[in-house]
Amino acid sequence: MIDGPLEILVKQLASLPGLGNRSAKRIALHMLSNKDALMLPLAKNINYVSETIQSCHSCGNFDEGEICRICRDTNRDRSTICVVAGVADLWAIERTKTYKGIYHILGGVLSALDGIGPQDLSIHSLVENVRDNQIQEVILALSATVDGQSTAHYIMDQLDEFEVKITRLAHGVPVGGELDYLDDGTISTALKARGNL
Amino acid sequence: MIDGPLEILVKQLASLPGLGNRSAKRIALHMLSNKDALMLPLAKNINYVSETIQSCHSCGNFDEGEICRICRDTNRDRSTICVVAGVADLWAIERTKTYKGIYHILGGVLSALDGIGPQDLSIHSLVENVRDNQIQEVILALSATVDGQSTAHYIMDQLDEFEVKITRLAHGVPVGGELDYLDDGTISTALKARGNL
């Protein structure tokens, strides 16, 4: 059977992260049953987002215009840079509404297994930024995985020659987390880093 | 914060079946990282599918043109109608390549809980079809749930006055299924309907 546009749509949807053939079919049928309310506005907006949203020249965040709204915001502290692996992590930190500095997106983490070396990440521009712009603090907000932590150490080495404070996110018991379900590493880290009540 | 097009896209994606806020964000970011290869072709095809794919006037299947390729196919047996709840079920049966008749899509099953009565399903057109077109057999390929089976019984009652063979899918052990994991109802049904080796 030759593939019609509907079969192609199902294949396109199935190629999206987290979706498979079955969920793609379900979504395609759902769209077809809601053409005016969902399907046409979605197609229009995907096009519009594709045209208007671009990678911020300064931090790498996705937003309208060459410089994202975070980098444009004059109320934010330009002397503090939070280094994250990707835009999803930036969004996660922004959601907390507790951080007032700016960001730097690496575009991933170092990974020997996946063949991702320092030249594949935007580490060089971070070093330039720290050197040229009187940055006071670099927060390495990277995942607490082996790859995340080796990336953090690599960046620390690169920034060694500059007088800049380098910090990382605190490790400990997640808020709302039950001790019983936590791994031993987290518990022992939280115990060592215990603080006064 | 006022919602930009990207936030709207995430909301639109999150409204699709099986997707939530987190998976919608992941898909939106994945799209933005693959604009030319994925995002633009997807938007174009969603538009195209929305314009060209319609509900078949005869059976309710989604395809190009007013009559779907199954109803157009002169090699198919027009005296056998397979009644299914939705297009997904039609696709599932077509995938097996074992059925050579035509279909009738109900658009759901009767459900007292969801307030879906006979007038909400295309039962009337099925009855007309059986009355007018010398149909030999109606296969009720509905789910083995309470709602599916009560829908099957309702349709059987409606077709009672016509000389048409009414059949249903066989119940039994799924091919590749392990007895140990099957529910008691399926095992006792399969035992009662046992056949010669």
Side-chain angles (χ1 to χ4, degrees):
Chain A
M1 198 161 86
I2 303 151
D3 274 359
L6 187 50
E7 285 81 7
I8 295 171
L9 178 62
V10 169
K11 275 184 194 163
Q12 285 173 322
L13 291 171
S15 77
L16 295 173
L19 295 183
N21 197 271
R22 209 168 274 257
S23 42
K25 275 180 188 160
R26 206 170 140 215
I27 288 175
L29 290 174
H30 181 77
M31 281 185 186
L32 279 167
S33 309
N34 298 277
K35 276 189 183 178
D36 292 330
L38 173 66
M39 199 167 188
L40 290 172
L42 177 63
K44 205 174 148 194
N45 199 31
I46 292 177
N47 250 326
Y48 184 68
V49 166
S50 164
E51 278 165 16
T52 56
I53 302 291
Q54 46 183 301
S55 197
C56 170
H57 286 206
S58 174
C59 73
N61 186 18
F62 284 122
D63 204 350
E64 290 167 279
E66 293 199 348
I67 302 293
C68 77
R69 68 186 87 170
I70 295 172
C71 291
R72 276 200 308 264
D73 188 344
T74 49
N75 289 323
R76 298 193 78 125
D77 170 15
R78 264 143 225 289
S79 66
T80 307
I81 298 182
C82 181
V83 176
V84 289
V87 177
D89 298 334
L90 183 156
W91 287 357
I93 295 176
E94 277 300 289
R95 216 164 43 222
T96 67
K97 295 190 203 307
T98 50
Y99 178 64
K100 292 297 166 208
I102 54 173
Y103 292 91
H104 180 91
I105 291 171
L106 289 179
V109 287
L110 297 175
S111 168
L113 221 63
D114 298 333
I116 298 172
Q119 71 286 351
D120 300 316
L121 307 177
S122 64
I123 294 177
H124 188 67
S125 58
L126 173 67
V127 174
E128 283 183 333
N129 195 354
V130 170
R131 187 188 63 205
D132 301 343
N133 294 316
Q134 299 177 314
I135 304 300
Q136 303 292 315
E137 180 177 359
V138 171
I139 306 170
L140 299 173
L142 299 167
S143 295
T145 57
V146 173
D147 285 347
Q149 293 312 299
S150 44
T151 310
H153 280 111
Y154 180 85
I155 293 173
M156 249 172 73
D157 283 349
Q158 301 296 307
L159 297 176
D160 205 31
E161 52 180 307
F162 309 110
E163 274 198 22
V164 60
K165 191 172 152 195
I166 299 175
T167 55
R168 62 158 175 78
L169 297 184
H171 288 312
V173 181
V175 176
E178 293 200 50
L179 277 192
D180 202 18
Y181 291 97
L182 272 180
D183 65 298
D184 298 351
T186 304
I187 294 181
S188 80
T189 309
L191 199 59
K192 279 182 206 146
R194 67 189 179 276
N196 289 321
L197 245 189
Chain B
M1 197 162 85
I2 303 149
D3 274 358
L6 187 51
E7 285 80 9
I8 294 171
L9 177 62
V10 169
K11 276 186 193 161
Q12 285 172 323
L13 290 171
S15 77
L16 296 172
L19 295 183
N21 197 271
R22 210 169 274 257
S23 44
K25 275 181 188 160
R26 206 169 139 215
I27 288 174
L29 289 174
H30 181 77
M31 281 186 186
L32 278 167
S33 309
N34 298 278
K35 277 189 183 176
D36 291 331
L38 174 66
M39 199 166 186
L40 290 172
L42 178 62
K44 205 175 148 190
N45 200 30
I46 292 178
N47 250 326
Y48 185 68
V49 166
S50 164
E51 277 164 16
T52 56
I53 302 289
Q54 46 182 302
S55 196
C56 170
H57 285 206
S58 175
C59 73
N61 186 16
F62 283 122
D63 205 349
E64 291 168 278
E66 293 199 347
I67 303 294
C68 77
R69 67 186 88 171
I70 295 173
C71 291
R72 275 200 309 262
D73 187 344
T74 49
N75 289 322
R76 298 195 75 127
D77 170 15
R78 263 142 225 291
S79 66
T80 307
I81 297 182
C82 181
V83 177
V84 289
V87 177
D89 297 335
L90 182 155
W91 287 356
I93 295 176
E94 278 301 288
R95 216 163 45 223
T96 67
K97 296 189 202 310
T98 49
Y99 178 65
K100 291 298 168 207
I102 54 174
Y103 292 90
H104 180 91
I105 290 171
L106 289 178
V109 288
L110 297 175
S111 168
L113 221 61
D114 299 332
I116 297 173
Q119 70 287 352
D120 300 315
L121 307 177
S122 65
I123 294 177
H124 188 67
S125 58
L126 173 67
V127 174
E128 282 182 335
N129 195 354
V130 170
R131 186 188 62 206
D132 301 343
N133 294 316
Q134 299 177 312
I135 304 300
Q136 303 292 314
E137 180 177 357
V138 171
I139 305 170
L140 299 173
L142 298 167
S143 295
T145 58
V146 174
D147 285 347
Q149 293 312 299
S150 44
T151 309
H153 280 113
Y154 180 85
I155 293 174
M156 251 172 72
D157 284 348
Q158 301 297 306
L159 297 177
D160 206 31
E161 53 181 306
F162 309 110
E163 275 199 22
V164 59
K165 192 170 150 195
I166 299 174
T167 56
R168 63 158 173 78
L169 296 185
H171 288 312
V173 181
V175 177
E178 293 200 52
L179 278 191
D180 201 17
Y181 290 96
L182 273 180
D183 65 296
D184 298 351
T186 303
I187 295 180
S188 80
T189 309
L191 200 58
K192 280 182 206 147
R194 67 188 177 276
N196 290 321
L197 245 189

